Amino acid sequence: MPTGDGLLARFRPIDSTLTPAALTAVARAAEAYGNGLIEITARGSLQVRGLTAATAAPLARAIRAAVAVEEGVPIETAPLAGLDPAERADPRPLAAALRRAIANAGLAERLSPKVTVIVDGGMILASLAADIRVEAAEGGWRIDAGEALGEAAAIAATLGKLDAIAARGPLARARRPAPAASIPAPIGTLELADGTHALGLALPFGSIEAPALAAFAEAAGNAGAREVRLAPRRGFYVVGPGAGAVTRLRQRAAALGFVADPADPRLAIAACAGRDGCASGGIATRALAARLAQAAPSFLDGSIALHVSGCAKGCAHPRPASLVLVGQPDGTCGLVFAGSASAEPAAVFPAGAIPAGFLMLERLYRAREHAQESAAEWLVRLGPEGIAAALRG
Ligand code: SF4
């Protein structure tokens, strides 16, 4: 896809799974052919930016040599599928059978590339939107919350639904909105169904420099990790490092800039590529987001979502957020309260004044009257005018 920073490549390993060595190869390819940054999207796909017409093909060859990439209709499974003690059934065999059936039926060529099927072994991906949702249930698999079917009938029913979407035209969708609840960030150590462990980490604002990712992937391989599972909310799990190695690996990740602490204020902020990576960006979003996380760690307590958007398109957080800072074409920054990046800003500030404004918000929040009040509750009480006044100092 063309972006303000050249071409962008987005790809998804089958079952969101790759080896530490493959992740190293992806990082090296991004450095050799792209702008040296790797992104993980909100749905757990990998992205490389800054490609040109000459470098896109060698990148694709390098990626395909290292990773089994999802082709055709994306079939998404949960990041810890087959290992999650909370799931009812491993969704991966059904997902693999569906991929084969869709390829045999030639459906991918007739469908929009955006059509997505989720095969969920529990209610793990319930908050992700999909065109068709296949969920493990008592006695089989339910398609779009219908009655439970055996595997063969579930595949036939899914093919029938995809065929019906394709019959409505090449751009047709059947996307159902997901519940507003969001999936938790993949941070921390989990015990898996097979008794081994997974370490969950996230990329700061969904992006990290390729050398840091390569260094971490090598450390994970050396620590005995067998797989990396990409996860929604811009993160991943490292599966199988020895129990004694998990703490050292988490410390290494934190030192390399990854988000390794569930209380990290960066998790409360969504930020797109902004002016540094997109022609539409009015502000340097991720640099600003990093300063705001430092300025207001208590205020960014996890009860609010802060969206720093390069422009009104709002790519990093299409849903409404508690607070949105939106880059304007003249480089100033609009403030939207409880809305989307496309909403009319309640106030506009010089971008350089925002970090000092967040220092003031932090100070006021710490001094609030009711110590039990969350930042979300406090913001509602303050209202747009109170927030704008605080940001003005
Ligand atoms: S929100 Fe605007 S600036 Fe940010 S990536 Fe999307 S188009 Fe570019």
Side-chain angles (χ1 to χ4, degrees), residues 272-274 278 280-281 309-311 313-315:
C272 68
C278 177
S280 303
S309 185
C311 75
K313 195 171 172 204
C315 299

Side-chain angles (χ1 to χ4, degrees), residues 251-271:
Q251 287 165 348
R252 178 91 172 109
L256 286 166
F258 292 84
V259 178
D261 178 351
D264 191 313
R266 291 176 294 177
L267 287 171
I269 310 178

